[in-house]
Amino acid sequence: MEQLEIFDIPNPCRGICQTNSRGLCLGCFRTRKERFEWQRLTLAEQQNVLRLMKQRKGRLLRELRRQQLDAASAQHLSQQNELPF
């Protein structure tokens, strides 16, 4: 059974309002369309946007961690190649 929402879902804007190369806001991870249409969305649509935001944030964090690990690994390998033996 679906749970009914009693209260409106507050706008998830965090006031950062900068976008990445994919057009996602770096503060809330919404698309431009999702940001502009937030107040017109139904509660179910807003909940879906919140779910998508969470997925996008997780994906971005995993990407950043992998890039950091790749950079650290490359640095470690370059240091090993500098050893005199």
Side-chain angles (χ1 to χ4, degrees):
M1 182 188 314
E2 189 173 324
Q3 180 178 346
L4 297 176
E5 291 292 331
I6 298 173
F7 303 103
D8 289 336
I9 298 173
N11 190 322
C13 179
R14 297 180 57 206
I16 296 172
C17 303
Q18 295 178 5
T19 57
N20 66 10
S21 61
R22 296 178 183 167
L24 296 176
C25 176
L26 296 175
C28 64
F29 300 99
R30 290 183 292 170
T31 64
R32 179 183 176 120
K33 182 179 178 182
E34 291 166 346
R35 291 191 322 265
F36 289 148
E37 295 182 0
W38 181 259
Q39 296 302 323
R40 291 186 291 257
L41 298 176
T42 66
L43 286 176
E45 291 169 330
Q46 288 177 347
Q47 289 173 330
N48 188 50
V49 170
L50 291 174
R51 181 185 60 78
L52 291 170
M53 290 166 44
K54 184 177 180 179
Q55 288 177 349
R56 293 169 185 153
K57 182 178 180 180
R59 191 177 313 123
L60 181 64
L61 290 174
R62 285 189 300 275
E63 260 181 52
L64 290 172
R65 280 191 210 113
R66 188 183 40 191
Q67 289 173 0
Q68 289 172 343
L69 288 173
D70 289 347
S73 179
Q75 182 180 10
H76 179 70
L77 287 174
S78 70
Q79 288 173 350
Q80 284 182 335
N81 290 334
E82 293 173 4
L83 295 176
F85 49 88

